[in-house]
Amino acid sequence: MIFRTTLALAVTCIPTSLAFNSVSLGRHANSHSLLTRAKSSSAEITTSSVVIDESLFLDEANALSELDFPLSEGELVTKAKEYLSSGQGVERPELLASEFIFMGPVVGGSSGLDREAYLEAVGGFKITDAFPDLNPRFHHFRADPLDAGRVWFTSVASGTDNGKGFLGNKPTGKKFMTPPQACSLKFNEEGKVIKYTIGHVMERSLGNTGGLGGIFGPAYAIGKALPFPEAQPYQPSKRYQMIQLIGRVANSLKKSK
């Protein structure tokens, strides 16, 4: 039950203006002076040199073109949104290819879950029963210019534990907000989904989930963290802490010489 619920929940990864109002000749003169200085400043910004090494940056449009994938970026993004809108494929299994694989940072292991295992696990649990106001906030959809058929997008999910209870617990009324999570959908040339990845945290200091994504984040935020290390906020290992200590001591001795 915990495994099924874990997978099901894991699926869920100033403009400014300047106005001058002159009511006297003196104020008009001041306004003229301000405008003159503003124009001068603008000219300085325009003529200032900015050094950019273009060799560091991928020509994305050209890279996408060279992939020669039969579906355009717009078509791929539309298909990604169609999949997400259908219960992430559960309500329309025909959107998933026979070779479909689901993979999260932890859930699914190194090889991921196949189509049948994914549909069974996700189809048997509704996260909105626990978090009725769940909002995944899917955004920033874009085609991968280096991996044909893949669409990347971001999720910043939120919700309130005021439904039927999370994993059989009484509702706490607590809210959660995850960090941004990188997610992706990869399509074959027929437009079927062959891979779905979610839950890869992009900035663990954001949100209130201890830097955790997928199911683990909401569980931690409402005080119902799952009982294994992967479902806990990151803690450096003792070995890593020792290496850091040795490094600090070495640097201190070096500076004292």
Side-chain angles (χ1 to χ4, degrees):
M1 175 62 184
I2 289 181
F3 170 75
R4 176 178 294 181
T5 305
T6 297
L7 172 60
L9 287 178
V11 170
T12 8
C13 267
I14 305 175
T16 59
S17 62
L18 179 64
F20 297 94
N21 182 17
S22 304
V23 295
S24 66
L25 289 176
R27 290 184 179 179
H28 178 76
N30 289 337
S31 298
H32 179 74
S33 177
L34 285 171
L35 285 169
T36 302
R37 288 199 299 271
K39 289 179 180 179
S40 175
S41 175
S42 176
E44 290 173 3
I45 293 173
T46 302
T47 59
S48 63
S49 61
V50 178
V51 178
I52 296 177
D53 184 354
E54 293 292 347
S55 67
L56 300 175
F57 307 101
L58 178 69
D59 184 339
E60 297 181 32
N62 185 60
L64 275 173
S65 177
E66 290 181 347
L67 290 176
D68 197 27
F69 196 70
L71 300 175
S72 69
E73 181 173 31
E75 290 172 324
L76 286 169
V77 169
T78 296
K79 286 187 172 295
K81 292 181 177 181
E82 179 184 27
Y83 173 89
L84 295 170
S85 298
S86 62
Q88 300 177 74
V90 174
E91 297 169 8
R92 294 183 60 192
E94 69 273 13
L95 298 178
L96 284 64
S98 59
E99 66 270 33
F100 173 91
I101 291 293
F102 168 83
M103 186 176 290
V106 176
V107 177
S110 59
S111 59
L113 294 177
D114 62 24
R115 184 179 188 274
E116 286 67 31
Y118 169 81
L119 290 173
E120 180 182 358
V122 178
F125 181 83
K126 291 185 177 181
I127 187 173
T128 50
D129 286 346
F131 303 97
D133 62 345
L134 178 72
N135 186 350
R137 290 188 181 83
F138 296 130
H139 63 282
H140 194 199
F141 289 77
R142 67 275 187 198
D144 190 325
L146 298 176
D147 189 3
R150 187 184 292 271
V151 173
W152 288 99
F153 56 97
T154 306
S155 171
V156 178
S158 67
T160 308
D161 180 26
N162 60 1
K164 297 179 180 179
F166 178 73
L167 295 181
N169 295 291
K170 292 182 179 180
T172 64
K174 295 181 178 180
K175 298 178 181 293
F176 77 85
M177 175 76 77
T178 69
Q181 302 173 78
C183 312
S184 77
L185 283 162
K186 186 174 173 67
F187 298 85
N188 61 20
E189 294 189 353
E190 288 71 45
K192 301 284 188 179
V193 180
I194 59 175
K195 194 169 190 179
Y196 182 27
T197 70
I198 66 165
H200 297 272
V201 170
M202 303 164 71
E203 221 293 40
R204 58 188 171 89
S205 71
L206 299 178
N208 67 341
T209 64
L212 299 167
I215 176 183
F216 307 141
Y220 177 81
I222 66 172
K224 305 297 180 182
L226 299 178
F228 42 86
E230 292 83 357
Q232 307 294 326
Y234 167 75
Q235 292 289 339
S237 66
K238 292 182 179 179
R239 183 177 299 180
Y240 182 63
Q241 293 180 60
M242 180 61 68
I243 291 174
Q244 286 186 312
L245 176 60
I246 293 172
R248 288 195 297 268
V249 171
N251 287 335
S252 179
L253 292 175
K254 184 178 180 180
K255 290 178 180 179
S256 64
K257 291 182 178 180

